[in-house]
Amino acid sequence: MPDSAPSDWRRFVGAGFSRSALAAAARRQSELRHAVRVSAAVVAAYALATLLRLPQGYWAVFTAVIVVQSSLGATITASIERFMGTVVGAAVGAGAAWLHTRHPEWGGVILAACAASLAFLAAVRPAFKVAPVTAVIMLIGTTTHMDPLTAAFLRVAEITVGSLVGVAATLLIFPARAHESVVQSSQKAAGLLADLLSHYAAKLESKPSTLDPREHYDETLKALAKLQTAITEADRETASKLSDRSVSDALPRTLWRLRNDCVMIGRALREPLPAPVLAPPSAAMLAASSAYLRAAAQSLSGAARPDRLAFAESHKAFQDAIEGMRDVGATRELAFDDAARTFGLVFAVENLFANLGDFADRVEEAASKRD
């Protein structure tokens, strides 16, 4: 009996550790897939460089590590930039190395001029950021070992091998399309905006809320920036005929307009509404808008489409409340500043309603392309 207790305890601990490990792996599934892609690309680049007998095959391995990204579009973008920067850097580096062999006494000046010119190019066109590094390495490391033109050719060949292997690994191993990143980024931004609308609805109802609007707006900006990057990467995929992007450029623009609507609503609600009778219907409208925005964003992934009729009824109730205030003359009794804030809120909510309808249209367009 005493001997079995420690054994049971070890099995219990082992089972708990296994469950925790599986749960952690499930949460980090995309990261694990990326790690597998990079590992496979490294091995393939090394094997191919060895097979081709490239003298500095480790550059192919470095390139494979650098270009493999979380989506195919991002990998294509990184590969193209790496290749372009290498070609320009190798060409300039070869010319500088040729000058150095004939005028070794001017080595420092040649190196400085080469680095300065390519650094300027990289500052103007960030796609060429690898060009200065390539040129300097060629100038310092190859002038005494091989012909500059041969060195330039080999460097381009090594980078090409690594880039092609990186694209192939992203395409074949747990293929991840930039379209998926577009959808996820859209849903992230929409969810953050929906949180803000729920916060403002709770504020109108004098309910507690732990949300910090400033931090939330910052997170929204990051999500919208990530969405724009994903759109660019998806365009790369579409141009390469490797996939089609179903989400149009109009969707991120609509999300930006929705963010502006939230900003206007937040400004109008910095202080309590001067017309308390407007608070309940405004809160109901904002809560309905939050739910509608979440449902529309989720339908990008194939979920059920939001109920347009129910949302329109919420908007109608809000409009009826505004008309009721006008009928009894409540708006005429407001001071100028109070009337400005009140009608500022009404204007923002009306814009929100129109932009939410536009967002739902863009989502339905994307769904129709996907189907």
Side-chain angles (χ1 to χ4, degrees), residues 291-356:
Y292 187 79
L293 178 55
R294 290 184 193 279
Q298 290 304 314
S299 64
L300 278 170
S301 300
R305 296 178 181 179
D307 189 342
R308 285 181 179 260
L309 180 59
F311 183 53
E313 290 175 351
S314 300
H315 179 242
K316 181 64 168 56
F318 175 76
Q319 288 185 318
D320 290 344
I322 301 300
E323 290 300 322
M325 287 182 60
R326 288 172 176 161
D327 291 342
V328 300
T331 55
R332 291 193 296 271
E333 298 175 358
L334 296 173
F336 178 80
D337 290 342
D338 292 341
R341 286 202 303 114
T342 299
F343 286 107
L345 175 62
V346 173
F347 177 77
V349 171
E350 290 297 329
N351 270 358
L352 176 67
F353 176 74
N355 287 325
L356 281 173

Side-chain angles (χ1 to χ4, degrees), residues 23-366:
R27 289 194 301 270
R28 298 295 184 181
Q29 189 175 31
S30 61
E31 289 85 352
L32 289 172
R33 289 180 174 181
H34 179 68
V36 172
R37 280 195 295 267
V38 172
S39 177
V42 165
V43 173
Y46 178 77
L48 191 55
T50 302
L51 181 65
L52 296 175
R53 296 183 179 180
L54 296 175
Q56 294 179 324
Y58 52 83
W59 283 109
V61 178
F62 288 162
T63 300
V65 173
I66 292 170
V67 303
V68 174
Q69 304 293 317
S70 58
S71 70
L72 180 58
T75 300
I76 293 173
T77 300
S79 298
I80 292 174
E81 291 182 354
R82 179 79 173 173
F83 179 78
M84 290 169 52
T86 300
V87 170
V88 172
V92 175
W98 180 83
L99 285 175
H100 183 263
T101 58
R102 282 152 181 76
H103 305 284
E105 69 277 8
W106 293 97
V109 175
I110 294 171
L111 177 63
C114 176
S117 60
L118 290 177
F120 177 79
L121 175 63
V124 175
R125 293 286 301 276
F128 293 101
K129 59 183 178 290
V130 74
V133 178
T134 302
V136 169
I137 290 176
M138 283 191 59
L139 186 57
I140 294 177
T142 63
T143 53
T144 59
H145 293 86
M146 64 181 69
D147 178 75
L149 290 178
T150 302
F153 172 78
L154 289 173
R155 180 53 44 82
V156 172
E158 291 151 5
I159 299 303
T160 301
V161 168
S163 297
L164 292 176
V165 168
V167 172
T170 310
L171 181 63
L172 301 175
I173 302 173
F174 301 122
R177 299 291 189 264
H179 170 75
E180 298 173 7
S181 180
V182 170
V183 170
Q184 292 172 1
S185 297
S186 299
Q187 291 174 334
K188 174 69 173 180
L192 291 169
L193 293 173
D195 290 340
L196 284 166
L197 293 173
S198 297
H199 167 75
Y200 292 135
K203 188 174 183 178
L204 283 167
E205 295 176 325
S206 299
K207 292 181 179 178
S209 174
T210 58
L211 185 143
D212 184 344
R214 289 187 178 182
E215 291 183 2
H216 233 62
Y217 280 121
D218 290 341
E219 290 298 318
T220 303
L221 287 175
K222 292 177 183 178
L224 289 171
K226 186 175 180 180
L227 171 59
Q228 196 58 54
T229 300
I231 288 283
T232 302
E233 293 170 357
D235 287 339
R236 289 279 192 185
E237 287 186 10
T238 302
S240 64
K241 308 299 182 182
L242 293 174
S243 69
D244 293 323
R245 171 164 64 88
S246 59
V247 177
S248 71
D249 293 329
L251 190 139
R253 290 197 296 268
T254 304
L255 285 170
W256 273 106
R257 292 200 298 271
L258 288 171
R259 179 189 178 276
N260 293 337
D261 296 336
C262 289
V263 170
M264 288 192 292
I265 292 170
R267 288 174 179 170
L269 297 179
R270 284 179 179 174
E271 299 177 8
L273 277 179
V277 69
L278 186 59
S282 298
M285 179 61 190
L286 293 179
S289 299
S290 175
Y292 187 79
L293 178 55
R294 290 184 193 279
Q298 290 304 314
S299 64
L300 278 170
S301 300
R305 296 178 181 179
D307 189 342
R308 285 181 179 260
L309 180 59
F311 183 53
E313 290 175 351
S314 300
H315 179 242
K316 181 64 168 56
F318 175 76
Q319 288 185 318
D320 290 344
I322 301 300
E323 290 300 322
M325 287 182 60
R326 288 172 176 161
D327 291 342
V328 300
T331 55
R332 291 193 296 271
E333 298 175 358
L334 296 173
F336 178 80
D337 290 342
D338 292 341
R341 286 202 303 114
T342 299
F343 286 107
L345 175 62
V346 173
F347 177 77
V349 171
E350 290 297 329
N351 270 358
L352 176 67
F353 176 74
N355 287 325
L356 281 173
D358 187 48
F359 180 74
D361 290 340
R362 303 290 79 75
V363 170
E364 289 182 5
E365 287 177 4

